[in-house]
């Protein structure tokens, strides 16, 4: 295709998307209105209804759509609850074209107006060019962006440059229950002819510059429980004469990390991958505004003062965060009680090449060592109820090169190559099971507020990414 032909085609696509913005927003408004909260069992029917709506949209494109049943799961109270089906969609079978599989989810986090939302979270509302509503950026907006992009090509009667496959689920916010087993079962069937997998379920690093994500940290979650007896005690009767569980627990938690953020567990850094010169250069060109990041977070000061130090400690070094204490009195007012049992909760975001089993062993040995020095008769129990491994892709993969070219076509600048400091189990799941190239292609800006009050997506970013998806770039 000549450059003049390509330019004319891009202009035609851009004009169509611009003219139909209100239609695309209407689509998102309809989807946001569905309270597809997968966390709350009472809303499971809404999640299933949302999956049906998404399946209908794909079928309207001419895609072959299968709703795969995942059965049910048992709640803590013993109740069996049906799992929403997973959508497997397929559009196009041209052997001359590569096949791209898009993953997304249509379930959302819980949201209530009284939690601090400026608007009704289930009524898409535009304010100053931003579209506010639960699921706007995580992940209904991005899923619809891909569907609307295909619709644009269909409406203009243009040949698609790739074959599409879709995997859309409704339980991502609740741990993607049943999805891993389905991917394993379909690996030799549905995924047999897939060349590349694209996930649009994260955010840019900044509010202004596009990015491609090539890695994320893992996460090891720990419970540390200290117990002295079978019942709470009065501090006036027993305070000062017993080893209090909460005092023990606070000492244990205090031993985990120092004031500079350095993890104090012996050996925890031993397996961290060395920083290569090639990777170090990636950090130099990344657009990252410390003040903007501070404003987005609401904090006054970071532990580190330079862009490089901040990004290194966010992405490629482990971190330890303490999340809470179960069993301690936390209501307003004063209750002079000594709790009989308390549970501290913390997690370690691990990076390549840390091993989960080794991390668990190091944590247990450290806490037992600290506890033994206190000479406390209380019972100590340490457990790791959840562990997820880190994910890392190759930025020199043809998939990343194609994405870079396409973004430059639309935005006029190269994207940043970034990692995600959080954990994205789905990326590693797809990569390890299918052995295909996986890319994380974020649509939302850093201030979109996924999972938070006033979640939003920029109208501009939503539609400029539609242009990217139809820019016609193929992997090499």
């Amino acid at each position: 295709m000549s450059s003049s032909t390509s330019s004319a085609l891009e202009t035609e696509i851009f004009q169509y998307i611009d003219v139909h913005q209100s239609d695309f927003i209407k689509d998102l408004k309809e989807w946001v209105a569905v309270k597809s909260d997968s966390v709350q069992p009472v809303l499971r029917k809404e999640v299933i209804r949302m999956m049906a709506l998404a399946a209908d949209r794909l079928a309207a494109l001419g895609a072959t759509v299968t709703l795969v049943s995942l059965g049910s799961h048992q709640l803590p109270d013993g109740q069996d609850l049906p799992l929403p089906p997973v959508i497997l969609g397929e559009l196009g079978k041209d052997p001359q074209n590569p096949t791209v599989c898009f993953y997304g989810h249509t379930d959302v986090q819980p949201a209530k107006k009284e939690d601090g939302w400026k608007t009704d979270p289930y009524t898409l509302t535009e304010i100053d060019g931003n579209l506010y509503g639960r699921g706007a950026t995580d992940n209904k907006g991005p899923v619809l962006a891909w569907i609307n992009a295909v619709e644009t090509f269909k409406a203009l009667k243009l040949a698609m440059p790739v074959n599409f496959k879709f995997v859309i689920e409704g339980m991502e916010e609740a741990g993607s229950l049943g999805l891993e087993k389905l991917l394993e079962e379909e690996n030799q069937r549905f995924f047999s002819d897939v060349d590349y997998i694209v996930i649009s379920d994260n955010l840019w690093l900044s509010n202004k510059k596009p990015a491609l994500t090539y890695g994320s940290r893992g996460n090891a979650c720990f419970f540390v429980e200290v117990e002295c007896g079978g019942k709470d005690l009065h501090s006036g009767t027993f305070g000062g004469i017993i080893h209090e569980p909460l005092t023990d627990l606070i000492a244990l938690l205090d031993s985990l990390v120092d004031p500079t953020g350095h993890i104090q567990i012996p050996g925890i850094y031993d397996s961290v991958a060395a920083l290569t010169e090639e990777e170090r250069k990636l950090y130099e060109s990344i657009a990252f505004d410390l003040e903007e990041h501070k404003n987005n977070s609401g904090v006054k000061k970071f532990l580190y003062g330079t862009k490089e130090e901040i990004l290194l400690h966010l992405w490629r070094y482990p971190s330890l965060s303490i999340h809470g204490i179960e069993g301690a009195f936390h209501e307003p007012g004063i209750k002079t009680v000594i709790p009989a049992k308390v549970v501290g909760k913390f997690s370690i975001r691990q990076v390549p090449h840390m091993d989960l089993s080794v991390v668990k062993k190091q944590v247990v040995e450290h806490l037992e060592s600290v506890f033994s020095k206190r000479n406390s008769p209380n019972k100590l129990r340490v457990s790791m109820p959840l562990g997820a491994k880190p994910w890392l892709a190759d930025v020199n993969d043809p998939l990343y090169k194609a994405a870079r070219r396409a973004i430059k076509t639309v935005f006029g600048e190269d994207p940043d190559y970034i990692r995600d400091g959080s954990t994205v189990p789905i990326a590693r799941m797809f990569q390890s099971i299918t052995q295909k190239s996986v890319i994380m292609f974020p649509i939302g800006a850093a201030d979109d507020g996924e999972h938070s009050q006033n979640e939003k997506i920029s109208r501009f970013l939503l539609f400029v990414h539609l242009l990217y998806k139809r820019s016609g770039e193929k992997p090499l």
Side-chain angles (χ1 to χ4, degrees):
M1 183 184 293
S2 67
S3 59
S4 60
T5 303
S6 175
S7 178
L9 178 60
E10 289 167 5
T11 299
E12 183 180 12
I13 294 170
F14 295 175
Q15 288 177 344
Y16 181 90
I17 291 172
D18 191 48
V19 169
H20 290 83
Q21 283 193 33
S22 60
D23 296 328
F24 296 146
I25 291 176
K26 182 180 178 182
D27 295 338
L28 183 56
K29 188 180 185 74
E30 179 186 4
W31 279 28
V32 167
V34 181
K35 299 179 181 180
S36 51
D37 173 356
S38 58
V39 177
Q40 300 187 70
V42 294
L43 292 172
R44 185 58 51 84
K45 289 183 178 179
E46 287 292 277
V47 180
I48 294 172
R49 182 165 75 91
M50 185 65 246
M51 297 304 297
L53 285 174
D56 289 345
R57 287 301 297 271
L58 288 178
L61 291 177
T64 301
V65 178
T66 303
L67 285 163
V68 182
S69 173
L70 298 181
S72 62
H73 67 114
Q74 193 173 70
L75 300 178
D77 62 4
Q79 175 189 357
D80 279 328
L81 198 64
L83 288 167
V86 170
I87 295 172
L88 299 181
E90 186 173 358
L91 183 63
K93 291 187 177 182
D94 188 337
Q96 303 301 313
N97 286 337
T99 297
V100 176
C101 178
F102 168 74
Y103 162 84
H105 65 91
T106 57
D107 62 314
V108 298
Q109 282 279 310
K112 294 179 180 179
K113 178 74 160 56
E114 54 267 32
D115 290 339
W117 283 74
K118 298 176 183 177
T119 61
D120 178 1
Y122 294 105
T123 301
L124 191 70
T125 305
E126 183 168 3
I127 302 173
D128 297 331
N130 290 316
L131 303 168
Y132 290 87
R134 180 57 92 214
T137 199
D138 183 20
N139 186 232
K140 292 178 178 180
V143 171
L144 265 175
W146 281 88
I147 292 175
N148 291 152
V150 176
E151 288 174 337
T152 298
F153 251 47
K154 289 281 189 178
L156 295 174
K157 295 182 170 54
L158 300 172
M160 291 199 302
V162 298
N163 302 316
F164 268 113
K165 288 196 173 185
F166 296 86
V167 177
I168 302 175
E169 68 160 321
M171 287 295 288
E172 193 274 342
E173 303 293 2
S176 295
L177 299 178
L179 183 65
E180 185 171 9
K181 181 181 178 182
L182 175 63
L183 297 186
E184 291 171 346
E185 292 172 348
E186 292 291 338
N187 191 32
Q188 301 303 318
R189 295 193 295 267
F190 184 79
F191 293 101
S192 61
D193 59 348
V194 168
D195 297 295
Y196 306 99
I197 296 170
V198 180
I199 300 171
S200 293
D201 190 21
N202 63 318
L203 303 176
W204 292 357
L205 180 63
S206 77
N207 295 342
K208 299 174 182 177
K209 189 176 181 181
L212 295 172
T213 305
Y214 68 95
S216 66
R217 293 192 290 188
N219 199 13
C221 298
F222 290 91
F223 290 170
V224 52
E225 177 183 305
V226 182
E227 183 177 11
C228 72
K231 62 181 180 179
D232 294 347
L233 299 174
H234 192 298
S235 65
T237 306
F238 293 93
I241 64 171
I242 68 169
H243 293 264
E244 298 189 15
L246 189 53
T247 304
D248 282 342
L249 178 60
I250 289 174
L252 291 170
L253 295 177
D254 184 58
S255 75
L256 295 172
V257 62
D258 72 15
T260 71
H262 184 83
I263 302 173
Q264 300 187 113
I265 299 169
I268 202 75
Y269 292 96
D270 290 354
S271 299
V272 175
L275 180 65
T276 65
E277 188 60 31
E278 180 184 14
E279 184 186 351
R280 183 184 294 277
K281 289 180 180 178
L282 289 177
Y283 289 80
E284 295 175 358
S285 61
I286 290 174
F288 181 72
D289 187 322
L290 288 179
E291 290 306 313
E292 180 183 276
H293 205 56
K294 271 190 247 182
N295 291 336
N296 288 344
S297 65
V299 302
K300 294 181 179 179
K301 183 181 179 181
F302 290 134
L303 288 172
Y304 306 96
T306 68
K307 174 184 73 173
E308 288 78 11
E309 287 178 317
I310 291 289
L311 296 181
L312 285 169
H313 286 87
L314 267 180
W315 297 346
R316 59 132 32 247
Y317 294 136
S319 66
L320 188 151
S321 299
I322 298 171
H323 306 299
I325 296 177
E326 179 182 335
F329 178 67
H330 64 280
E331 303 293 338
I334 297 174
K335 183 179 181 182
T336 55
V337 66
I338 299 172
K341 181 175 76 172
V342 286
V343 182
K345 302 179 181 183
F346 67 94
S347 68
I348 297 175
R349 299 280 180 175
Q350 80 269 16
V351 298
H353 303 288
M354 296 171 72
D355 183 276
L356 274 172
S357 62
V358 174
V359 170
K360 180 181 179 180
K361 182 173 182 291
Q362 291 169 333
V363 168
V364 171
E365 289 179 351
H366 170 73
L367 289 174
E368 288 179 343
S369 173
V370 173
F371 189 70
S372 67
K373 294 174 183 176
R374 294 185 59 78
N375 296 315
S376 172
N378 294 330
K379 296 177 182 176
L380 171 69
R381 282 182 287 270
V382 183
S383 60
M384 188 181 79
L386 178 65
K389 297 178 180 179
W391 165 74
L392 192 64
D394 181 3
V395 296
N396 294 311
D397 187 281
L399 182 58
Y400 278 84
K401 291 181 178 180
R404 176 186 177 184
R405 292 194 304 270
I407 285 179
K408 189 165 186 177
T409 297
V410 174
F411 286 90
E413 64 178 332
D414 287 327
D416 282 333
Y417 287 112
I418 67 172
R419 294 198 195 187
D420 195 321
S422 60
T423 304
V424 189
I426 200 69
R428 183 179 177 88
M429 187 189 301
F430 271 100
Q431 187 168 287
S432 61
I433 292 175
T434 68
Q435 296 297 302
K436 310 291 185 180
S437 295
V438 176
I439 188 172
M440 292 201 69
F441 173 72
I443 287 180
D447 64 349
D448 273 3
E450 57 181 354
H451 289 204
S452 187
Q453 300 94 331
N454 306 307
E455 176 185 346
K456 59 87 176 173
I457 193 166
S458 161
R459 172 196 272 259
F460 168 75
L461 290 188
L462 183 62
F463 294 114
V464 80
H465 276 90
L466 281 178
L467 308 184
Y468 154 77
K469 293 179 176 67
R470 299 282 33 101
S471 65
E473 282 290 353
K474 296 183 182 181
L476 296 174

